[in-house]
Amino acid sequence: MQIERAELFQVPLELREPFESSAGAVHVRSILLVALSGGGITGWGECVAGETPHYSPETTETAWAALTERLLPTIRGTTLTVDTEAIEHHWTRFPGHPMARAAVEMAIWDLDAKRRGVPLCIALGGQQKPVAAGVSIGLQRDDDALYRRVEGFLEDGYRRIKVKIKPRRDIMTLRGIRDRFGNIPLIADANSAYTIGDMTVLREMDDFILMMIEQPLAPDDFDGHAQLQERLLTPICLDESIVSLDDAERALDQGSCRIINIKPGRVGGLARARGIHDLCRERDVAVWCGGMHESGIGRAHNVALATLPGFTLPGDISASRRYFEKDLVTPEWELEDGSLTPLEAPGIGVEVDLPRILELSVRRSTIG
Ligand code: OSB
Ligand code: MG
């Protein structure tokens, strides 16, 4: 069936609290939504590019250009489905822009699953089952503010806490959390704020029995991460470094990490994310689903992906409330027993609030 129409919306959504990492603070998410329609059905995808080129070179602006000038015009009128080979072949004409491409690819997954009448989790090869939710907490004004956040999220039932760290906002903070909250499942995410010269302080973190340290060094520093992993007891988890299946293979071959955070946006879509999952599963390496402050649409894709069997650790998949005053989907994503569960309805399962998206959109492009 043909993809008759492609639409792109830019929807600014204010975060309920600004999110600060070693890369800076985010107040408003400029969410890009892709809607692909054919035969009376619409599939939805979300682009996770940030407002600034900190986490990755892509931004809302580069993604907008890639989508409107190349990706959407060439998708419209095709009969592409999630048959991975044909799509992969299509993408070879458009190198780069993984986050923009992922938004299109996810919309195709949703469209296909809706046509077939199956939930996205099933279409991907997962199960319709709850997935354990963790929460990622940004850098706070001071440690007391952070401890209050940790306490609140533990009360909400989150199964694991992740905190952002950077040089001089690390050892004391982590010790403070351990002193107050005991043995909770805890991750420290550095977003590349350290160098191999920080070996001593990174090794001190072994005292805190973290589940993992996420992305301590620069994204391209596979050797440095391998050296560090050799001297750390704490598993290293890579996020920014893993943009492709080749990156994942290289990281595992070199011993640069023991865990991978998979984000479909970062790696160019759900099929590629699943490919990295499959590789890790073969090698007995645990993976978990990362987050990029998605709306309920991107979250639905992440939740579906996280039902694959290799996602054995809680994801950065939190309830709608954790991020936004009001989400773009109904029902909103809610925590139940520390988990989110994909709905039984076809595709992403949640209903997209189109009137609200139209009302909030600051930019819109229609092709077809
Ligand atoms: O490094 O995992 C990260 C958000 C935006 C960009 C990068 C990261 C994050 C988060 C938040 O940690 C995860 C979430 O709750 O969506
Ligand atoms: Mg990270």
Side-chain angles (χ1 to χ4, degrees), residues 26-287:
V26 180
H27 297 259
V28 177
R29 285 288 296 118
S30 288
I31 290 167
L32 295 183
L33 298 173
V34 169
L36 300 178
S37 309
I41 300 176
T42 299
W44 289 87
E46 177 168 340
C47 177
V48 299
E51 295 66 35
T52 55
H54 284 124
Y55 173 86
S56 93
E58 283 187 280
T59 64
T60 314
E61 290 305 317
T62 69
W64 181 273
L67 285 161
T68 54
E69 289 169 30
R70 306 300 303 267
L71 299 171
L72 294 178
T74 56
I75 278 286
R76 199 198 71 86
T78 68
T79 53
L80 280 175
T81 67
V82 292
D83 157 27
T84 312
E85 256 174 65
I87 284 212
E88 281 297 323
H89 181 71
H90 182 82
W91 299 134
T92 57
R93 296 161 55 208
F94 310 104
H97 304 289
M99 292 177 176
R101 192 201 308 143
V104 179
E105 196 251 17
M106 287 168 154
I108 297 177
W109 274 98
D110 183 31
L111 184 61
D112 277 6
K114 283 171 175 165
R115 278 178 184 156
R116 292 169 48 203
V118 296
L120 180 59
C121 55
I122 304 296
L124 281 166
Q127 284 174 274
Q128 208 239 324
K129 62 158 197 194
V131 299
V135 65
S136 171
I137 309 177
L139 292 165
Q140 304 289 312
R141 198 175 42 249
D142 53 44
D143 284 348
D144 282 331
L146 177 64
Y147 304 145
R148 283 194 295 276
R149 303 306 286 133
V150 172
E151 186 175 16
F153 287 127
L154 289 172
E155 276 168 18
D156 290 344
Y158 285 101
R159 305 273 192 98
R160 167 285 268 158
I161 300 289
K162 165 167 132 182
V163 294
K164 298 286 181 175
I165 54 166
K166 65 179 184 180
R168 291 172 299 283
R169 295 288 297 277
D170 42 29
I171 300 297
M172 297 272 282
T173 303
L174 294 170
R175 178 169 297 126
I177 294 175
R178 279 288 179 242
D179 286 349
R180 283 163 185 77
F181 302 103
N183 193 24
I184 57 166
L186 184 63
I187 299 179
D189 186 359
N191 290 106
S192 302
Y194 296 86
T195 68
I196 197 72
D198 296 311
M199 182 72 87
T200 309
V201 69
L202 291 163
R203 288 187 70 187
E204 275 178 61
M205 292 182 204
D206 275 344
D207 286 351
F208 306 126
I209 324 286
L210 302 171
M211 290 174 84
M212 65 197 86
I213 297 178
E214 187 174 335
Q215 197 69 42
L217 310 180
D220 58 0
D221 196 359
F222 287 77
D223 291 345
H225 279 111
Q227 276 177 52
L228 183 61
Q229 183 65 89
E230 207 167 68
R231 305 197 49 197
L232 283 186
L233 297 172
T234 308
I236 292 175
C237 167
L238 290 179
D239 174 355
E240 286 91 327
S241 293
I242 310 299
V243 182
S244 66
L245 183 63
D246 284 351
D247 291 335
E249 203 155 13
R250 177 165 170 216
L252 299 183
D253 286 348
Q254 278 189 233
S256 309
C257 67
R258 296 197 193 128
I259 298 172
I260 292 179
N261 159 341
I262 300 182
K263 297 176 179 174
R266 195 190 64 226
V267 303
L270 289 167
R272 291 181 176 198
R274 187 173 62 181
I276 295 173
H277 158 275
D278 294 348
L279 170 77
C280 290
R281 194 148 184 256
E282 265 166 39
R283 305 229 190 154
D284 230 355
V285 169
V287 303

Side-chain angles (χ1 to χ4, degrees), residues 347-361:
I348 58 173
V350 286
E351 201 171 313
V352 174
D353 188 346
L354 185 58
R356 186 135 180 283
I357 288 170
L358 290 170
E359 184 190 312
L360 295 178
S361 290

